[in-house]
């Protein structure tokens, strides 16, 4: 009992740190440990991962808001697309073969992984600060922002580009979430970093806030159908909140290149996992 409690606290701490740095929530770390190491049924593991995402968001967002790292306007604007996509996906569930969807979304993740590798290899570190001409919508909606980069020791002003493309990407992420029952943290970061050309740090910070909003809506359903187990969710959430608070501090002192190096193998893993799942192979 005590060993399991310690395992959950340590797992939560690790998930919170990594999830807050990358903006992916931590659910993808917790779920395999709960199912493989602890033998928990997958439906309870998924319910618990929702709580983990909310805890990661809560722990990290406080720090990111205080340091003006996340972009609230971008978060609320893109959350509209995610919500519409998730509701539509839930309504269409069963109409489209899931195997086809897994393959399509896996190809999108792998393409994004390739783009991140290109950014890592072809662009110098100062490219995160490059001035990009915003589109009409980003100016009208006042989506452009700035933050102080503690690794570069300077203020970074950034312009948001290709707002319609980012909105469509988040619509697709919502569809994936509704149709396949998967988290969309990686898609959120991709939408902001690859498509809307926001720097990686604000992209990750903003993704943390958005995932908390999305997960909070889902948590009600999981709570009432009995798939959230308090004896597992509570110690995990405690570890995650502390981990997310630590991770949000660490992230601000990391160079964008380091965050990208951590993020690329995770994207590659998620892409390959979804691709193989489309052909009935689980890893």
């Amino acid at each position: 009992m005590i060993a399991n409690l310690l395992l959950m606290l340590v797992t939560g701490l690790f998930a919170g740190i990594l999830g807050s740095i990358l903006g992916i929530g931590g659910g993808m770390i917790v779920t395999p440990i709960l199912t493989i190491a602890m033998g928990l049924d997958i439906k309870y593991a998924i319910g618990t991962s929702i709580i983990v995402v909310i805890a990661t968001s809560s722990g990290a967002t406080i720090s990111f808001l205080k340091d003006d790292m996340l972009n609230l306007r971008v978060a609320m604007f893109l959350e509209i697309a995610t919500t519409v996509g998730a509701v539509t996906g839930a309504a269409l569930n069963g109409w489209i073969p899931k195997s086809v969807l897994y393959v399509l979304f896996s190809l999108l993740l792998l393409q994004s992984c390739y783009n991140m590798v290109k950014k890592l290899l072809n662009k110098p570190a100062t490219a995160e600060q490059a001035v990009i001409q915003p589109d009409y919508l980003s100016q009208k909606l006042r989506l452009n922002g700035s933050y102080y980069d503690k690794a570069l020791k300077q203020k970074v002003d950034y312009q948001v580009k290709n707002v319609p493309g980012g909105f469509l990407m988040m619509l697709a992420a919502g569809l994936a979430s509704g149709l396949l029952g998967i988290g969309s943290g990686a898609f959120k970061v991709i939408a902001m970093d690859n498509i809307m050309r926001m720097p990686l740090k604000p992209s990750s910070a903003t993704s943390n806030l958005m995932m908390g909003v999305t997960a909070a809506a889902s948590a009600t359903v999981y709570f009432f159908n009995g798939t959230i187990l308090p004896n597992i969710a509570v110690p995990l959430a405690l570890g995650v909140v502390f981990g997310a608070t630590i991770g949000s501090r660490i992230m601000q002192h990391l160079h964008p290149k380091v965050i990208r190096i951590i993020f690329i193998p995770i994207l590659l893993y998620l892409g390959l996992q979804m691709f193989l799942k489309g052909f009935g192979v689980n890893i």
Side-chain angles (χ1 to χ4, degrees):
M1 183 66 181
I2 295 175
N4 278 347
L5 183 64
L6 287 172
L7 175 63
M8 285 184 283
L9 284 169
V10 172
T11 300
L13 188 71
F14 179 66
I17 291 172
L18 193 59
S20 61
I21 290 174
L22 301 177
I24 57 173
M28 65 169 288
I29 300 163
V30 168
T31 304
I33 292 174
L34 290 176
T35 52
I36 297 168
M38 297 181 62
L40 190 68
D41 189 285
I42 186 66
K43 66 179 180 181
Y44 296 113
I46 292 171
T48 302
S49 74
I50 293 291
I51 301 301
V52 167
V53 171
I54 295 171
T56 304
S57 178
S58 301
T61 298
I62 294 168
S63 175
F64 289 142
L65 271 173
K66 183 181 175 183
D67 294 325
D68 204 23
M69 180 66 71
L70 60 83
N71 191 320
L72 275 172
R73 284 184 172 271
V74 170
M76 293 303 100
F77 176 71
L78 293 182
E79 197 60 44
I80 296 169
T82 309
T83 305
V84 171
V87 172
T88 306
L92 292 174
N93 194 14
W95 289 83
I96 306 171
K98 288 192 175 183
S99 59
V100 174
L101 292 169
Y102 274 120
V103 171
L104 289 176
F105 283 113
S106 72
L107 293 175
L108 180 60
L109 283 174
L110 292 171
Q111 174 63 29
S112 300
C113 181
Y114 171 71
N115 288 337
M116 278 204 168
V117 171
K118 275 182 27 176
K119 280 187 179 184
L120 191 64
L121 295 176
N122 298 338
K123 292 188 178 181
T126 53
E128 293 287 342
Q129 309 160 41
V131 176
I132 297 167
Q133 291 301 315
D135 63 12
Y136 175 76
L137 277 175
S138 71
Q139 291 175 313
K140 275 291 182 184
L141 297 172
R142 291 185 290 165
L143 300 180
N144 304 320
S146 63
Y147 70 101
Y148 183 78
D149 194 311
K150 293 179 181 178
L152 300 174
K153 293 183 170 36
Q154 66 183 51
K155 183 181 178 183
V156 178
D157 297 308
Y158 60 89
Q159 311 275 342
V160 177
K161 184 182 178 183
N162 195 12
V163 174
F167 192 87
L168 286 173
M169 179 64 182
M170 291 314 304
L171 192 66
L175 279 169
S177 183
L179 284 165
L180 304 175
I182 60 172
S184 54
F187 290 102
K188 287 178 171 67
V189 177
I190 289 167
M192 290 179 275
D193 176 59
N194 285 359
I195 299 175
M196 299 175 75
R197 301 293 296 278
M198 284 173 58
L200 189 55
K201 286 187 178 182
S203 297
S204 173
T206 305
S207 174
N208 269 297
L209 170 63
M210 291 173 65
M211 282 192 302
V213 175
T214 308
S218 306
T220 309
V221 178
Y222 285 98
F223 179 78
F224 283 110
N225 67 18
T227 52
I228 295 176
L229 302 177
N231 61 319
I232 294 174
V234 171
L236 269 174
L238 285 172
V240 166
V241 169
F242 282 112
T245 305
I246 295 166
S248 62
R249 294 297 180 190
I250 294 172
M251 189 269 266
Q252 296 184 52
H253 292 278
L254 291 177
H255 200 284
K257 184 177 180 180
V258 175
I259 301 173
R260 210 174 288 281
I261 289 170
I262 300 170
F263 198 73
I264 285 170
I266 291 175
L267 264 187
L268 182 62
Y269 170 76
L270 289 173
L272 290 173
Q273 184 190 48
M274 287 186 73
F275 185 81
L276 292 172
K277 200 165 186 177
F279 294 96
V281 180
N282 291 311
I283 58 169

